[in-house]
């Protein structure tokens, strides 16, 4: 055990040495790079050494240097990219490719971390984000969705940015898993950016999937539902599709403002087509954005005898049913009072997961049955 005076002398000497060393270091300008280009080239060449341990040490040293300094990282990547094909040395070629992939992957991970968790980072360095943001919004939920879409798929960013690439997969929406919201978000973002004046085949297929509850994207998480709603709303805003499809799709994907706006525009114009009025009545009743106003609309169409739908049953007896606007108004008035329309003469009624009732099923096969139903009101 050291004597007290010896311990004091040892501590004093150590402290003085540390102070002197720190002073010298503080007066010496820090160099961002201590390795010369020749040394970097030697380490890269070491990736093809005969000795496995030498190759491992070279790769480890290069990786550590790239992590320590961005300047060195760029210099190392430049050396690694100087990799002609066919290679004169296959081992060196493969080692360069592997190390370059590791460095680029690490940079991408750091970039994505900043993108997701640094509010000051606007994401402009990420190809395709600005285009995706136009339709999906710039919140954290949209960033999560974009990150999931481009994860390990850099071609997605280029596709969203309009860079020429193979978009075949995204045109074949029938092959997409309905719970793969990241892929569906790419499809909807691309569809929103097209700004078509007339409907084409791709738009018709997309509308068919979105309007059918048995197909199309089905989000399981809250942030996916929010982003999906904004993407669908962006698509519907400019897509040249029938208003009835807009209402059905908008209801399905919680595009409340868009549905309300369309309902008001249709229901405040008695000259609109009967089929549009019927769909708007059903959508407004389902959304129920203004109870008194919706009840007033229903009452205003309670005497409208225009026919909105005609359908013929395929099973015996093969009867023809005709739906008038006033039939739908009556069924909705009963429903909103808590009365099942089936108990008041609507025997052919069919439930609908989006509109509550199928519009065509609210009709009658004869005028006499219609009169009896309206008389029971």
């Amino acid at each position: 055990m050291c004597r007290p005076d010896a311990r004091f002398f040892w501590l004093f000497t150590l402290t003085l040495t540390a102070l002197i060393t720190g002073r010298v270091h503080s007066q010496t300008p820090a160099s961002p790079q201590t390795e010369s280009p020749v040394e970097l080239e030697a380490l890269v060449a070491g990736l093809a050494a005969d000795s496995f341990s030498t190759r491992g040490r070279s790769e480890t040293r290069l990786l550590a240097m790239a992590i320590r300094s961005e300047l060195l990282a760029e210099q190392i990547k430049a050396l690694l990219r100087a990799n002609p094909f066919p290679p004169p040395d296959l081992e060196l070629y493969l080692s360069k490719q592997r190390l370059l992939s590791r460095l680029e992957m690490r940079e991408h991970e750091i970039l994505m971390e900043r993108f997701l968790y640094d509010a000051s980072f606007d994401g402009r360095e990420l190809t395709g984000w600005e285009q995706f943001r136009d339709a999906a919004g710039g919140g954290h939920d949209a960033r999560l969705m974009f990150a999931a879409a481009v994860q390990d798929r850099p071609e997605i960013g280029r596709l969203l940015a309009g860079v020429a690439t193979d978009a075949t997969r995204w045109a074949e929406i029938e092959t997409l898993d309905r719970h793969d919201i990241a892929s569906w978000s790419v499809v909807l973002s691309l569809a929103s950016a097209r700004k078509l004046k007339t409907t084409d085949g791709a738009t018709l297929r997309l509308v068919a999937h979105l309007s059918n509850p048995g197909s199309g994207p089905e989000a399981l998480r809250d942030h996916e539902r929010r982003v999906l709603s904004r993407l669908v709303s962006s698509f519907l805003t400019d897509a040249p599709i029938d208003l009835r499809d807009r209402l059905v799709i908008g209801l399905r994907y919680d595009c409340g403002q868009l549905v309300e706006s369309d309902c008001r525009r249709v229901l405040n114009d008695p000259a609109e087509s009967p089929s549009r009025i019927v769909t708007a009545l059903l959508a407004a009743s389902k959304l129920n954005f203004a109870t008194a106003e919706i009840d007033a609309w229903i009452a205003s169409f309670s005497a409208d005898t225009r026919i909105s739908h005609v359908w013929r049953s395929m099973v015996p007896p093969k009867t023809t049913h005709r739906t008038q606007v006033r039939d739908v108004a009556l069924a909705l008035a009963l429903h909103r009072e808590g009365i099942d329309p089936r108990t008041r003469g609507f025997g052919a009624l069919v439930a609908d997961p989006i509109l509550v009732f199928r519009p065509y099923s609210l009709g009658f096969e004869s005028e006499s049955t219609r009169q009896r139903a309206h008389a029971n009101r």
Side-chain angles (χ1 to χ4, degrees), residues 15 26 44 52 69 76 81 125 150 159 172 184 241 305 329:
T15 304
S26 66
V44 171
F52 178 79
S69 165
I76 291 169
R81 289 190 181 110
E125 297 176 41
V150 302
L159 181 63
E172 299 173 352
W184 277 102
I241 64 175
T305 59

Side-chain angles (χ1 to χ4, degrees), residues 290-301:
T291 303
E293 192 172 9
I294 293 169
D295 289 338
W297 280 324
I298 291 173
S300 70
F301 289 106

Side-chain angles (χ1 to χ4, degrees), residues 19-200:
L19 288 172
I20 294 172
T21 304
R23 182 179 179 83
V24 170
H25 286 175
S26 66
Q27 292 176 351
T28 304
S31 172
Q33 173 187 354
T34 57
E35 291 78 5
S36 66
V38 174
E39 184 177 357
L40 293 179
E41 291 173 3
L43 286 170
V44 171
L47 296 173
D50 293 335
S51 168
F52 178 79
S53 59
T54 301
R55 295 199 300 271
R57 283 195 301 271
S58 295
E59 183 170 337
T60 301
R61 181 79 186 283
L62 288 167
L63 187 61
M65 290 161 59
I67 292 174
R68 187 175 74 243
S69 165
E70 290 186 12
L71 178 60
L72 284 175
E74 292 303 318
Q75 293 176 350
I76 291 169
K77 285 190 295 183
L79 290 172
L80 295 175
R81 289 190 181 110
N83 205 14
F85 188 88
D89 186 329
L90 183 59
E91 180 66 37
L92 180 60
Y93 176 83
L94 295 176
S95 296
K96 281 184 170 184
Q97 289 283 83
R98 182 173 58 250
L99 182 54
L100 182 60
S101 295
R102 289 183 64 184
L103 292 176
E104 290 178 342
M105 185 180 301
R106 179 181 176 276
E107 286 185 351
H108 180 72
E109 289 172 354
I110 293 173
L111 193 63
M112 293 307 296
E113 285 290 320
R114 286 192 61 200
F115 174 67
L116 289 175
Y117 304 110
D118 182 357
S120 64
F121 182 61
D122 63 9
R124 291 180 183 177
E125 297 176 41
L126 293 170
T127 304
W129 164 243
E130 291 186 79
Q131 291 76 15
F132 186 83
R133 181 182 58 194
D134 288 343
H140 185 62
D141 50 7
R143 292 186 178 222
L144 286 172
M145 190 64 65
F146 179 80
V150 302
Q151 184 70 29
D152 301 324
R153 299 183 294 185
E155 72 278 4
I156 300 300
R158 295 193 293 271
L159 181 63
L160 290 168
V163 178
T165 186
D166 184 11
T168 304
R169 178 187 174 191
W170 310 106
E172 299 173 352
I173 57 176
E174 293 80 8
T175 64
L176 295 181
D177 185 328
R178 64 184 316 195
H179 299 306
D180 183 3
I181 306 303
S183 293
W184 277 102
S185 71
V186 174
V187 170
L188 288 165
S189 181
L190 291 171
S192 299
R194 296 178 69 197
K195 308 295 183 186
L196 296 177
K197 298 299 182 183
T198 57
T199 304
D200 61 0

